[in-house]
């Protein structure tokens, strides 16, 4: 089975801090994704990566950046955290092509105080 | 991304069938998915359907696709308390997914 692991289930940070959310997958997937989930809005794509060192903006990239130095690891960075970034963050991975769907981690619930 | 719409809430009695509906707008979608999210957890893939299919059945789950109307539904037969969760439909365009807001299904005894 595919395993997508997010480093923290819960995280509390202060406004202005630089925050790192880490995600690791163990199935050699090319694609990795970061979403945020808010009630009534579903999942919105922040950034995705289709290869090492490659990244593309999703629908809501403002205030975020990403890093993919190794194939199995995809990091989401909040450069200067703000209260409106309090949310559930979900990481996913998938094979590049074919019928294989995205597989999700358990999420990180981030609170910015 | 493209718009995917779902009703937000569904209440169903244990043992009845649940039907969750979804509409999407991107006619070029190749695959459509149903994911389940239990409290405090990530999304678990339930099933998916290729856009050239009308129906797919997998045990208690039946997916119906009306491509003309861009309407997708998920039927859960003999709904159990363990089926209480948020259900998301998603459409795939290339390697990106667009999700609906999710339908919260509550199963009552």
């Amino acid at each position: 089975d595919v395993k997508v692991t997010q480093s923290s289930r819960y995280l509390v940070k202060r406004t202005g801090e630089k925050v790192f959310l880490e995600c690791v997958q163990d199935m050699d997937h090319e694609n990795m994704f970061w979403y945020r989930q808010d009630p009534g809005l579903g999942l919105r794509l922040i950034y995705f990566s289709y290869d090492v060192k490659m990244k593309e903006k999703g629908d809501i990239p403002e205030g975020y950046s990403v890093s993919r130095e190794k194939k199995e690891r995809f990091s989401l960075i909040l450069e200067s955290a703000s209260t409106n970034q309090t949310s559930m963050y979900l990481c996913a991975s998938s094979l590049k092509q074919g019928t294989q769907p995205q597989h999700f981690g358990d999420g990180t619930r981030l609170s910015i105080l | 991304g493209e718009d995917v719409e779902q009703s937000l809430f569904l209440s169903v009695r244990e043992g009845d069938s649940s039907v969750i509906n979804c509409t999407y707008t991107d006619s070029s979608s190749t695959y459509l998915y149903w994911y389940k999210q239990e409290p405090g957890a990530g999304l678990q893939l339930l099933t998916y359907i290729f856009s050239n299919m009308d129906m797919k059945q997998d045990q208690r789950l039946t997916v119906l696709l009306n491509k003309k109307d861009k309407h997708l539904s998920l039927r859960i037969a003999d709904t159990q308390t363990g089926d209480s969760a948020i259900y998301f439909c998603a459409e795939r365009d290339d390697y990106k997914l667009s999700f609906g807001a999710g339908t919260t299904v509550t199963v009552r005894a």
Side-chain angles (χ1 to χ4, degrees):
Chain A
D1 276 354
V2 176
K3 184 70 174 173
V4 179
T5 304
Q6 294 184 230
S7 54
S8 304
R9 292 298 305 274
Y10 301 94
L11 209 51
V12 180
K13 297 290 182 180
R14 296 198 176 277
T15 54
E17 280 192 71
K18 190 169 185 176
V19 181
F20 293 85
L21 302 183
E22 306 287 347
C23 176
V24 176
Q25 51 93 4
D26 65 356
M27 284 302 291
D28 204 35
H29 284 172
E30 293 87 0
N31 299 330
M32 295 189 75
F33 307 82
W34 275 107
Y35 296 89
R36 64 177 282 175
Q37 181 183 6
D38 299 288
L41 297 178
L43 277 72
R44 293 179 291 167
L45 182 64
I46 304 171
Y47 266 98
F48 65 97
S49 168
Y50 50 89
D51 204 347
V52 176
K53 296 191 187 297
M54 306 303 289
K55 60 184 179 184
E56 286 212 14
K57 293 179 181 179
D59 300 318
I60 51 164
E62 296 79 19
Y64 302 95
S65 62
V66 289
S67 172
R68 192 159 181 209
E69 296 297 318
K70 294 185 178 181
K71 192 174 185 180
E72 67 270 18
R73 185 180 297 270
F74 192 35
S75 302
L76 179 70
I77 303 153
L78 285 66
E79 297 290 344
S80 177
S82 63
T83 54
N84 63 11
Q85 292 178 309
T86 291
S87 186
M88 169 74 101
Y89 290 87
L90 291 163
C91 174
S93 72
S94 74
L95 290 169
K96 187 173 244 179
Q97 295 172 354
T99 64
Q100 297 303 310
Q102 292 183 19
H103 297 267
F104 285 80
D106 285 337
T108 296
R109 187 164 293 282
L110 175 64
S111 297
I112 307 296
L113 304 179
Chain B
E2 302 294 332
D3 287 339
V4 179
E5 294 189 355
Q6 307 175 233
S7 54
L8 292 182
F9 301 100
L10 176 68
S11 178
V12 61
R13 189 174 300 174
E14 189 175 9
D16 288 352
S17 292
S18 309
V19 179
I20 308 167
N21 294 301
C22 172
T23 58
Y24 61 98
T25 57
D26 187 357
S27 58
S28 66
S29 295
T30 53
Y31 293 94
L32 295 131
Y33 301 89
W34 284 104
Y35 283 87
K36 176 184 180 183
Q37 185 181 36
E38 296 181 359
L43 272 66
Q44 169 198 353
L45 177 70
L46 280 181
T47 187
Y48 62 91
I49 189 167
F50 187 48
S51 57
N52 69 353
M53 297 169 65
D54 297 324
M55 185 182 89
K56 181 178 180 181
Q57 188 151 3
D58 184 2
Q59 299 182 335
R60 292 191 298 123
L61 305 178
T62 302
V63 179
L64 295 178
L65 175 61
N66 181 329
K67 199 172 179 183
K68 173 176 168 290
D69 294 338
K70 298 190 185 73
H71 183 267
L72 181 73
S73 68
L74 175 69
R75 178 176 178 269
I76 306 172
D78 187 24
T79 309
Q80 303 297 307
T81 55
D83 295 324
S84 291
I86 305 175
Y87 291 81
F88 292 93
C89 70
E91 60 174 348
R92 178 173 174 166
D93 180 17
D94 197 4
Y95 44 84
K96 291 164 57 175
L97 292 182
S98 294
F99 287 85
T103 300
T104 299
V105 173
T106 303
V107 181
R108 59 186 193 279

